[in-house]
Amino acid sequence: MTEQYVLGLHEIDEVQVGVVGGKGAHLGELSRIEGIRVPGGFCVTTDAFRRIMAEAPSIDDRLEELSRLNPDDREEVRTLSAQIRRTIEGIAIPGDLAAAITRALAQFGERAAYAVRSSATAEDLPTASFAGQQDTYLNVVGPTAILQHVSRCWASLFTERAVTYRQRNGIDHRTVHMAVVVQRMVFPRAAGILFTADPVTGNRKVATVDAGLGLGEALVSGLVNPDVFTVRDGEVVARAIAAQQRAVQALPGGGTQEVAIDARRQEEPALTDAQVVRLVQLGRRIEAHFGRPQDIEWCLVDDDFHIVQSRPITTLFPIPETGDQENHVYVSVGHQQMMTDPMRPLGLSMWQLTAMAPMHEAGGRLFVDVTRRLASPASRAALLDVVGRGDPLVRDALETVLDRDDFVPSLPDTGPAGPPAGGASAPIETDPAIVTELIQRSQASIAALERDIRTKTGPALFDFLLEAFEEHKRVLSDRLSMQVIMAGMEATWWLNDTLQEWLGEKNAADTLTLSAPDNITSEMGLALLDVADVIRPHSEVVAFLQGVEDESFLDELPKLPGGTEARDAIEAYLDRYGMRCVGEIDITRPRWRERPTTLVPVILDNVRNFEPGAAERRFEQGRQKAQEKERDVLSRLRALPDGDRKADEAKRMIDRVRTFIGYREYPKYGIVSRYFVYKQALLAEAERLVQADVLPEREDIFYLTFQELHDVVRSHEVDDQLIQQRKDAFRSYHALTPPRVLTSDGEAVTGAYRRDDVPAGALIGLPVSAGTIEGRARVILDLAEADLEAGDILVTTFTDPSWSPLFVGITGLVTEVGGLMTHGAVIAREYGLPAVVGVEQATRLIRDGQRIRVHGTDGYVEILD
């Protein structure tokens, strides 16, 4: 195959990224769109780059060395990448390659001015923009200068920032190649950027135009502030005109310079409203061609717009697909389930198949469409009440959407409002036997599932699982189970609201629920303290655990003195709780039973930070505190007018909350227990597919939906390309932040707390567990990296039940996601930890090791140093 060193832009389309890089492919595709003007030019292909790299074999060794460097080792990265750049720039361009470039120049005018722009094969891609990672040179004149700047573009693949960006995104330096775009310069009156969707809110119906005088470099380099125009439905709806004192202009002999702008022109907009609207129309045509919102670089020459670049906007959160043109409002499932990370396709589809409400996928996350419930006044009030109690930011975001009168259609009430989500709070007796019966029913159902699934394989397994999902939903929607959960929650709300009214005391229920019985999640945290008690006396076991890296460590333990007891204690813990893990609603996440090393740091923290018998003492202290609180509250109530009646009512509610609130955590334990049974059966099926050479590895099934996996098991055929695409997409979803509320226009609506009762500079959140605590913040994003000392305050994005073993060793909790009745809040109250949840960007605003004060009663956090 003969190398092709030069291709005209008109010969290129967007599938040729490997030949001309991301920028070149986009420009070629742009030049094919009717009505879009792209300055003429050509592309020096990646074949030319490979030819140059082959001229210096020493580069391979340096690339190998570079790939082994830590991206944080800035000095080494800087030194090595500079050496590689110097080597590339020092290579003489071979005669035949130089001749090909010079011939292409002759077609457009050898003495004309050109823009020479780098175009890497990992640039302007749907999943990573790489914007600004490589170099662009403007107003380059003459063949000699152009060849020199082509070399510089090749070398710019190894700028320090480009190298670091690739390392952080897991991209191998040797797989990326550089093409170079050479385009006729245009000398614009104005230039800038057009976003065909609002890059801040994500709204796809709103376009924004940044415009400045002269070349666009003045805006890109931050030399001037742009004029900013906002366009909706074909008209300019907002504009901010910046006084522009300087511009970048081309010099006649090549290169550019900064110039001062005439005082009379400084206040004039760079574009007229009519030009802005016309530009947005061109942008919409480009967006329609590429099928997704675009970030477009434009120039205005005379009265014509020239497009010099278009790339996808990679930061927008995707919109659930509906197939209709109606307005929709979606609420994030992840914020309710304390798991805002992306999920793999099998995890998404399994949750959808076992959930109680229809769910829509976008960006690897799930959303519930609440449009119909917002449309009629009665169901709207019930929905806002339920979500407002859980997470005020969701309520505020929904109210923001409702304030736009035309977005949510208004439907008449279709009869009585009906109970809030979760079923009616029909009166049930305050009887602990009810909870015992529910737990026994759940255990019996899981035991039956484990027994019946053992004999099922192949397509029969999938038929069995579809029936098992119906049983799963039946257990979840059990009326008695719902009544118990609601009774516990309503008793909590009653105590908090009524005791504040009668005694002026905030969040009294927090102390009254300490060490409530039957809470499987708080028992799980205490049980790991008991495991530490078994291990603590055996110094060789403790030393061994400090060096553990391999999941087979349990088999090694019996070789040590005390190791058999240690292994048996950990095994017994895993038998009861091994189905749990961080992000456990995603069936594809590794469970503790599959990755027991996750628990080792927490066990070691417990060995170090606690005395023997801590679990029993902790529980008993909580129980006594709750009893003292009860006596105190009742005696103060009896001293009030009509005090005996008030004390009797409060006593009835305290008994009710202590009987029922612990069960709140049990249904999730049941779901996750069932999930582990499903997962083991599906992985056994995957193993059979690997043995039959249908799949390269077991975990590939995680990138198929349940139905797709069913089809693969039936047909023994799999689409390898689909699995690779799904892996790439899943990786890209990690960079996206899911919004609490999302509209079908793509707008991510962030709520606000709207409070003025907190000190300046404090971080506002939701008070979920009373008390005030001061201490060292430990910002921990991965349970396996926990390293806590007594008195630490845990700061993290979200906590699901798997985090509760850490709760026994901390004094307070701050999370970015959460509500009054989510797991972190329930367990924080159970252990008596002051907690504030729903603190936006807490893990970025609070640095690891800073001293902070958590105001769990009033819902804010102060950073003290």
Side-chain angles (χ1 to χ4, degrees):
M1 188 183 103
T2 58
E3 269 80 13
Q4 203 165 11
Y5 294 134
V6 173
L7 282 173
L9 287 181
H10 60 283
E11 300 175 79
I12 295 167
D13 62 29
E14 66 178 334
V15 300
Q16 287 168 280
V17 173
V19 181
V20 295
K23 195 174 287 172
H26 273 267
L27 281 168
E29 193 67 34
L30 276 169
S31 58
R32 292 162 173 255
I33 306 172
E34 198 176 330
I36 301 299
R37 297 188 65 162
V38 176
F42 59 90
C43 205
V44 181
T45 67
T46 53
D47 282 346
F49 174 75
R50 275 189 282 267
R51 169 90 181 269
I52 290 296
M53 294 294 272
E55 299 279 322
S58 66
I59 286 182
D60 276 351
D61 298 337
R62 288 195 181 140
L63 289 183
E64 178 65 41
E65 204 180 323
L66 197 59
S67 65
R68 289 198 298 267
L69 288 182
N70 180 334
D72 294 327
D73 190 346
R74 300 284 296 277
E75 198 51 49
E76 280 293 317
V77 170
R78 185 178 298 129
T79 306
L80 198 51
S81 51
Q83 285 173 6
I84 296 171
R85 286 199 305 280
R86 277 197 301 276
T87 305
I88 293 172
E89 285 186 40
I91 297 169
I93 298 179
D96 57 334
L97 174 48
I101 295 171
T102 313
R103 271 198 307 278
L105 276 176
Q107 293 176 25
F108 294 97
E110 268 195 15
R111 302 310 305 168
Y114 290 86
V116 181
R117 315 171 76 190
S118 47
S119 176
T121 52
E123 187 176 25
D124 296 347
L125 305 179
T127 56
S129 76
F130 285 73
Q133 296 307 314
Q134 281 93 32
D135 291 349
T136 287
Y137 302 97
L138 299 178
N139 201 30
V140 183
V141 179
T144 308
I146 282 170
L147 289 173
Q148 184 188 4
H149 284 86
V150 167
S151 277
R152 284 190 186 168
C153 282
W154 287 329
S156 77
L157 190 62
F158 299 100
T159 61
E160 185 191 343
R161 66 179 183 272
V163 165
T164 306
Y165 189 89
R166 286 197 294 273
Q167 283 176 311
R168 293 199 192 290
N169 283 276
I171 294 164
D172 183 344
H173 303 299
R174 286 158 299 198
T175 62
V176 183
H177 303 294
M178 181 66 86
V180 182
V181 175
V182 181
Q183 254 179 312
R184 277 293 295 259
M185 268 294 286
V186 289
F187 299 100
R189 202 180 74 76
I193 312 283
L194 156 65
F195 295 100
T196 64
D198 186 318
V200 179
T201 68
N203 194 324
R204 309 311 200 258
K205 298 270 178 78
V206 172
T208 64
V209 175
D210 289 8
L213 297 169
L215 291 168
E217 295 314 287
L219 299 189
V220 174
S221 64
L223 178 66
V224 297
N225 289 325
D227 297 342
V228 181
F229 302 88
T230 306
V231 177
R232 187 178 186 125
D233 297 331
E235 65 174 301
V236 176
V237 292
R239 66 179 69 69
I241 307 305
Q244 295 188 18
Q245 295 165 342
R246 308 192 69 68
V248 174
Q249 289 188 343
L251 290 165
T256 60
Q257 68 173 14
E258 275 182 39
V259 295
I261 292 174
D262 184 302
R264 288 190 303 271
R265 286 185 62 205
Q266 285 180 13
E267 304 293 331
E268 281 178 25
L271 297 177
T272 65
D273 281 9
Q275 286 171 328
V276 169
V277 169
R278 182 152 52 91
L279 175 60
V280 170
Q281 285 168 346
L282 292 175
R284 292 282 177 229
R285 190 178 296 179
I286 294 169
E287 177 184 67
H289 180 86
F290 286 115
R292 54 186 300 173
Q294 298 287 303
D295 158 358
I296 297 167
E297 294 174 29
W298 56 269
C299 296
L300 180 68
V301 183
D302 300 325
D303 193 35
D304 270 339
F305 285 104
H306 293 247
I307 304 302
V308 293
Q309 187 51 277
S310 183
R311 59 172 75 89
I313 308 176
T314 56
T315 53
L316 298 177
F317 200 86
I319 308 170
E321 287 178 24
T322 55
D324 64 35
Q325 296 302 305
E326 305 293 313
N327 287 349
H328 294 271
V329 183
Y330 301 98
V331 170
S332 159
V333 173
H335 284 80
Q336 263 120 50
Q337 290 295 336
M338 298 299 93
M339 212 310 259
T340 52
D341 292 347
M343 293 165 70
R344 294 174 182 84
L346 186 63
L348 291 164
S349 66
M350 293 286 277
W351 192 258
Q352 285 170 308
L353 286 164
T354 52
M356 302 309 296
M359 291 181 182
H360 306 265
E361 184 272 331
R365 278 80 167 187
L366 291 169
F367 294 85
V368 173
D369 187 342
V370 294
T371 321
R372 286 197 71 77
R373 292 185 63 191
L374 288 173
S376 76
S379 61
R380 178 189 314 147
L383 176 68
L384 290 175
D385 182 54
V386 168
V387 299
R389 280 190 183 274
D391 185 342
L393 291 176
V394 175
R395 178 181 181 134
D396 188 75
L398 290 174
E399 285 173 336
T400 302
V401 176
L402 288 166
D403 286 345
R404 300 172 193 156
D405 297 335
D406 54 344
F407 194 81
V408 176
S410 246
L411 298 174
D413 281 335
T414 52
S425 54
I428 54 171
E429 291 304 308
T430 304
D431 179 1
I434 297 174
V435 174
T436 308
E437 184 201 335
L438 284 170
I439 290 172
Q440 285 169 348
R441 271 196 225 170
S442 172
Q443 287 171 340
S445 171
I446 292 162
L449 172 66
E450 287 172 329
R451 182 189 66 235
D452 296 343
I453 205 168
R454 277 188 198 126
T455 55
K456 307 291 188 288
T457 60
L461 169 66
F462 288 81
D463 297 337
F464 172 81
L465 281 171
L466 287 170
E467 286 174 31
F469 297 162
E470 291 312 307
E471 165 68 2
H472 182 121
K473 289 197 272 195
R474 192 196 62 68
V475 171
L476 264 187
S477 59
D478 181 300
R479 185 171 167 74
L480 187 60
S481 179
M482 295 277 197
Q483 286 174 325
V484 166
I485 291 168
M486 287 310 294
M489 286 176 19
E490 285 172 350
T492 307
W493 297 334
W494 186 95
L495 284 167
N496 280 337
D497 295 348
T498 311
L499 295 181
Q500 181 156 7
E501 185 190 329
W502 287 349
L503 298 174
E505 186 173 340
K506 279 186 183 174
N507 302 4
D510 292 0
T511 312
L512 293 165
T513 52
L514 286 172
S515 298
D518 299 314
N519 187 320
I520 188 79
T521 308
S522 63
E523 286 168 10
M524 178 170 77
L526 296 174
L528 207 58
L529 286 176
D530 291 336
V531 173
D533 285 355
V534 175
I535 289 168
R536 192 179 291 105
H538 305 294
S539 56
E540 286 184 51
V541 172
V542 174
F544 170 76
L545 289 177
Q546 281 162 346
V548 157
E549 285 176 7
D550 193 323
E551 298 304 338
S552 64
F553 75 95
L554 288 170
D555 300 332
E556 300 296 314
L557 275 173
K559 297 173 186 171
L560 301 167
T564 303
E565 297 92 314
R567 184 201 57 193
D568 292 350
I570 295 171
E571 283 285 0
Y573 186 86
L574 291 172
D575 287 345
R576 185 145 166 73
Y577 303 112
M579 76 296 286
R580 308 220 86 149
C581 67
V582 173
E584 60 194 10
I585 69 168
D586 180 356
I587 198 170
T588 71
R589 290 284 194 105
R591 311 283 134 176
W592 290 344
R593 173 49 87 189
E594 297 168 305
R595 200 174 284 174
T597 50
T598 311
L599 292 173
V600 171
V602 193
I603 293 171
L604 289 170
D605 281 349
N606 288 349
V607 166
R608 190 174 69 238
N609 295 334
F610 291 93
E611 295 293 317
E616 200 176 330
R617 273 198 309 282
R618 283 289 294 266
F619 189 79
E620 188 51 34
Q621 283 164 356
R623 208 175 60 78
Q624 287 179 8
K625 263 193 198 164
Q627 280 183 340
E628 282 164 30
K629 185 70 180 173
E630 179 179 329
R631 285 195 292 273
D632 168 59
V633 162
L634 297 180
S635 71
R636 283 158 62 204
L637 287 174
R638 287 200 183 92
L640 298 175
D642 196 16
D644 284 348
R645 178 189 64 81
K646 286 174 176 165
D648 288 349
E649 268 188 69
K651 171 65 175 154
R652 199 165 66 248
M653 285 301 181
I654 292 169
D655 289 348
R656 206 162 171 76
V657 85
R658 287 199 68 79
T659 302
F660 293 138
I661 201 68
Y663 178 75
R664 162 80 181 77
E665 292 290 297
Y666 204 87
K668 183 79 168 273
Y669 175 76
I671 291 172
V672 176
S673 299
R674 298 180 77 86
Y675 260 30
F676 193 39
V677 180
Y678 306 152
K679 181 179 188 178
Q680 288 170 304
L682 290 173
L683 281 174
E685 207 53 50
E687 191 54 55
R688 284 187 276 277
L689 292 171
V690 171
Q691 297 302 325
D693 289 331
V694 178
L695 285 177
E697 46 193 82
R698 272 191 341 162
E699 278 73 23
D700 283 351
I701 67 165
F702 295 162
Y703 297 94
L704 299 170
T705 65
F706 180 81
Q707 190 53 55
E708 288 165 350
L709 179 53
H710 191 175
D711 294 341
V712 170
V713 167
R714 257 203 309 259
S715 67
H716 266 218
E717 285 174 13
V718 71
D719 181 345
D720 297 328
Q721 226 177 338
L722 175 71
I723 288 177
Q724 191 51 54
Q725 282 167 359
R726 296 266 177 83
K727 286 179 178 178
D728 293 342
F730 177 66
R731 204 175 305 122
S732 74
Y733 293 152
H734 280 88
L736 300 173
T737 302
R740 283 176 165 80
V741 171
L742 179 68
T743 72
S744 47
D745 285 352
E747 185 177 0
V749 191
T750 50
Y753 284 108
R754 312 201 185 278
R755 288 172 53 190
D756 50 14
D757 58 342
V758 298
L763 310 180
I764 301 177
L766 182 64
V768 295
S769 185
T772 302
I773 194 74
E774 207 175 287
R776 179 178 73 151
R778 290 312 318 269
V779 180
I780 296 174
L781 303 178
D782 181 351
L783 187 71
E785 287 167 16
D787 179 15
L788 293 166
E789 288 177 15
D792 283 348
I793 296 168
L794 173 62
V795 180
T796 189
T797 24
F798 57 79
T799 62
D800 57 13
S802 71
W803 286 76
S804 57
L806 287 192
F807 282 29
V808 297
I810 57 174
T811 56
L813 174 70
V814 180
T815 67
E816 293 181 349
V817 176
L820 203 57
M821 281 296 165
T822 48
H823 303 277
V826 172
I827 303 307
R829 289 194 291 272
E830 187 79 16
Y831 288 162
L833 303 174
V836 181
V837 301
V839 180
E840 293 278 76
Q841 299 199 348
T843 59
R844 293 194 195 96
L845 298 172
I846 299 170
R847 288 198 313 278
D848 187 52
Q850 274 184 319
R851 283 195 71 73
I852 61 172
R853 188 180 296 130
V854 178
H855 295 263
T857 309
D858 295 311
Y860 64 91
V861 180
E862 290 178 284
I863 298 174
L864 303 178
D865 59 24

